[in-house]
Amino acid sequence: MSEDHKYERGVSGRPPSHQTSLGLLEIITLVHVAALVIFGSWAFGGNTDWARTLLSWLASLGGLITLTALLNPRKDGSPLPFRWLWPLAAVNLLVLASAFNPSFREVMNGSESLFVQTASNPRWPSSARPLLSNLQLWFFDGVYLSCFNLALVVRQRRALRGLLMVLSLNAVALAIFGTVQKLVGATGLYFGLQKTPQGYFFSTFFYHNHWGAFIVLTTAACLGLIFHYVRRRDTRDFWHSPAATGLVALVLLAVSVPLSGSRSCSLLMLLLLGIGFSHWIFRLIKRRHAYNESIAVPLALGVVALAVAGAFAYDIGRPMIDRRFVQTQSEVATMRAAGTIGDRPRLYRDTWHMAQEKPWFGWGMASYPTVFFLFNSQHISPTQGLQTYYHDAHSDWLQSVAEHGYVGTALLALCGLVPLYYRRRALTQSPLTLYLLAGCGLLLLYAWIEFPFGNGSVITVFWVCFFCAVHYGRLESAADSFT
């Protein structure tokens, strides 16, 4: 019997979602993952050096949980999904091997630290900054294993739903905090206590597009939970179910994205909410036809509610929306006058040239800020030779090829594709699974033109949503086969 069809059962013989209590390791796993998300999101999205270091230490507990699960096999003898981890092991081998082949060395110019390119073996994986590569690998391993433990340890659907509810409530709290902060005109994070490198910040996040990516993922989870509870209850019980609370949370989350000034993520939110609204209409038509009832009244009420929510969102975010609209018009006019479409195509072209210099293994994890100046063709002052500085490529996919090469990028992709393959038959079992995967898919598409994975909290929530999705579908299948 394949792994997809061996469903774990409790000692009572019932499917895991029907057990009445959580095991100790399950509780530890859930609390650990929730702590990662909550701490990271309130600690500037995990994007300061001290926050990233603390997150890495906290995430390291995930490895201990994985080891504990390995040393305590399930009583029913069902296989553990450790076969999913071979791409992660290969990524680690690649990054650790690159540390022994540095391509830059540090030199001191007075009190200033400079990095100068040196000869390295071109046929062997290399790293421009081995220490930074290892630190980034430490964080990635910890987060991935912590979220993988959800599929390894948790055996109840309600536990995963509870975790997603906690994450949604945390995002709502952050959205309310950010909205109040914006409305009072704060000039920095935590009402001005923490200055930001640029003006478009929101809540506890330095960069508005990182906030938008974080909320797109959380909104997908919220939509999945709403449709899960809608599916379980009839219309008369809707306002007494968690789905009604989910709608309120949905509005608060949706309002925060345009208020943050993120134009691209506002479009992603419109797309995601449009999918949810279309799904609701489809369910409404199907249900009303089954009872030979008209859809006119509930559909009209739904459209009115949507219009009211949209008007409320626009009224709250009008100053920022109007400012970003004027800025967009100005940018379009400038591009028309110059006959270009901005600096992004040149940035992407330069990053591609960087990638082609070391196509197979790249320049090393976390190497982009150090290496890119060699390929950067944009200048602030051409006469003085001053370059525009880029810490990120504004395309996570391109940056991954530049840092990891074709081999490393393929292995990183397999970290997600391998679990999807093993759980492929259960991915359509629940709307919760589908919405979580839709959120992850939207973020991967967004990563072609932005760098959402440059934020620690976005990385964490992405893998939480991903592993909840692939595991929840299997638990749902187990419950269906039992009944």
Side-chain angles (χ1 to χ4, degrees):
M1 185 178 292
S2 69
E3 182 187 357
D4 289 313
H5 290 82
K6 276 190 176 180
Y7 301 116
E8 313 96 312
R9 296 192 177 183
V11 293
S12 63
R14 294 177 297 179
S17 59
H18 288 213
Q19 292 178 354
T20 57
S21 61
L22 293 170
L24 178 59
L25 195 58
E26 286 180 286
I27 295 173
I28 293 173
T29 299
L30 293 165
V31 171
H32 177 236
V33 172
L36 268 178
V37 174
I38 294 171
F39 172 75
S41 59
W42 286 93
F44 308 111
N47 266 32
T48 62
D49 290 340
W50 66 266
R52 185 61 66 91
T53 300
L54 287 177
L55 275 174
S56 297
W57 280 111
L58 181 59
S60 298
L61 296 175
L64 296 179
I65 295 173
T66 306
L67 182 62
T68 301
L70 174 63
L71 297 176
N72 294 276
R74 293 169 180 165
K75 295 179 180 179
D76 59 5
S78 59
L80 297 173
F82 283 110
R83 69 183 75 180
W84 298 2
L85 295 180
W86 71 261
L88 180 68
V91 169
N92 275 260
L93 287 175
L94 182 64
V95 175
L96 293 175
S98 71
F100 294 96
N101 189 30
S103 55
F104 279 69
R105 64 182 178 88
E106 184 178 10
V107 296
M108 299 302 297
N109 182 18
S111 60
E112 186 179 4
S113 179
L114 303 175
F115 289 88
V116 180
Q117 188 175 13
T118 59
S120 60
N121 189 335
R123 293 182 295 275
W124 188 259
S126 65
S127 174
R129 303 279 297 275
L131 178 60
L132 290 185
S133 296
N134 291 336
L135 289 174
Q136 182 66 18
L137 180 66
W138 177 28
F139 174 76
F140 179 77
D141 283 351
V143 168
Y144 187 90
L145 286 176
S146 297
C147 299
F148 165 76
N149 289 336
L150 295 172
L152 179 66
V153 174
V154 179
R155 304 173 68 187
Q156 301 186 42
R157 290 172 295 166
R158 64 183 179 88
L160 295 178
R161 292 196 300 269
L163 173 64
L164 293 171
M165 285 182 185
V166 170
L167 268 52
S168 298
L169 290 174
N170 176 65
V172 169
L174 285 163
I176 294 172
F177 177 79
T179 300
V180 174
Q181 185 174 250
K182 209 73 171 179
L183 293 178
V184 300
T187 58
L189 302 179
Y190 286 99
F191 296 96
L193 294 178
Q194 173 66 51
K195 300 301 180 183
T196 61
Q198 49 87 30
Y200 291 110
F201 63 91
F202 193 82
S203 190
T204 59
F205 285 66
F206 288 111
Y207 188 44
H208 60 311
N209 284 340
H210 287 161
W211 168 258
F214 177 82
I215 293 302
V216 165
L217 287 169
T218 312
T219 300
C222 194
L223 279 168
L225 289 169
I226 289 172
F227 280 103
H228 166 78
Y229 288 108
V230 165
R231 188 176 67 165
R232 290 182 56 191
R233 298 172 180 269
D234 60 34
T235 305
R236 289 184 296 274
D237 290 330
F238 174 82
W239 297 110
H240 299 90
S241 75
T245 305
L247 279 180
V248 176
L250 201 63
V251 172
L252 294 172
L253 294 175
V255 167
S256 71
V257 178
L259 187 59
S260 72
S262 177
R263 294 169 291 187
S264 52
C265 288
S266 295
L267 294 176
L268 288 179
M269 283 293 292
L270 282 175
L271 176 59
L272 188 58
L273 294 175
I275 292 172
F277 188 68
S278 300
H279 184 190
W280 174 75
I281 290 177
F282 174 78
R283 289 189 76 262
L284 178 67
I285 293 173
K286 184 177 179 181
R287 182 179 180 82
R288 303 291 280 193
H289 280 179
Y291 291 96
N292 294 319
E293 297 174 341
S294 172
I295 67 168
V297 173
L299 183 59
L301 291 175
V303 172
V304 169
L306 187 65
V308 170
F312 170 73
Y314 178 74
D315 186 61
I316 291 289
R318 177 182 291 181
M320 178 60 71
I321 293 172
D322 290 347
R323 181 161 42 138
R324 294 296 276 173
F325 180 73
V326 170
Q327 182 181 352
T328 301
Q329 288 181 314
S330 176
E331 290 172 353
V332 171
T334 301
M335 287 187 290
R336 284 179 177 175
T340 66
I341 56 174
D343 297 332
R344 287 292 180 90
R346 184 183 295 182
L347 173 60
Y348 294 158
R349 184 179 65 247
D350 292 343
T351 302
W352 181 247
H353 290 160
M354 174 181 166
Q356 292 310 294
E357 195 74 17
K358 291 179 179 285
W360 294 110
F361 301 111
W363 290 86
M365 181 175 273
S367 65
Y368 188 86
T370 303
V371 179
F372 182 66
F373 81 93
L374 295 174
F375 303 90
N376 187 4
S377 63
Q378 298 187 50
H379 294 81
I380 301 174
S381 173
T383 57
Q384 298 179 10
L386 298 177
Q387 290 181 317
T388 304
Y389 176 74
Y390 286 98
H391 186 274
D392 301 276
H394 289 265
S395 170
D396 280 331
W397 286 98
L398 266 179
Q399 185 166 331
S400 178
V401 176
E403 291 188 340
H404 303 282
Y406 299 136
V407 174
T409 299
L411 290 173
L412 287 171
L414 286 171
C415 287
L417 292 175
V418 168
L420 282 177
Y421 173 78
Y422 281 115
R423 294 290 169 86
R424 64 193 181 278
R425 295 172 182 162
L427 296 180
T428 59
Q429 295 295 318
S430 167
L432 179 54
T433 293
L434 292 174
Y435 275 104
L436 290 172
L437 291 178
C440 293
L442 285 176
L443 204 69
L444 290 172
L445 289 175
Y446 185 48
W448 283 102
I449 60 170
E450 259 298 343
F451 59 110
F453 294 104
N455 180 271
S457 286
V458 173
I459 294 173
T460 305
V461 175
F462 174 87
W463 287 115
V464 171
C465 290
F466 176 82
F467 279 109
C468 280
V470 297
H471 191 45
Y472 193 90
R474 185 189 181 193
L475 295 179
E476 188 85 355
S477 296
D480 290 345
S481 65
F482 181 80
T483 56

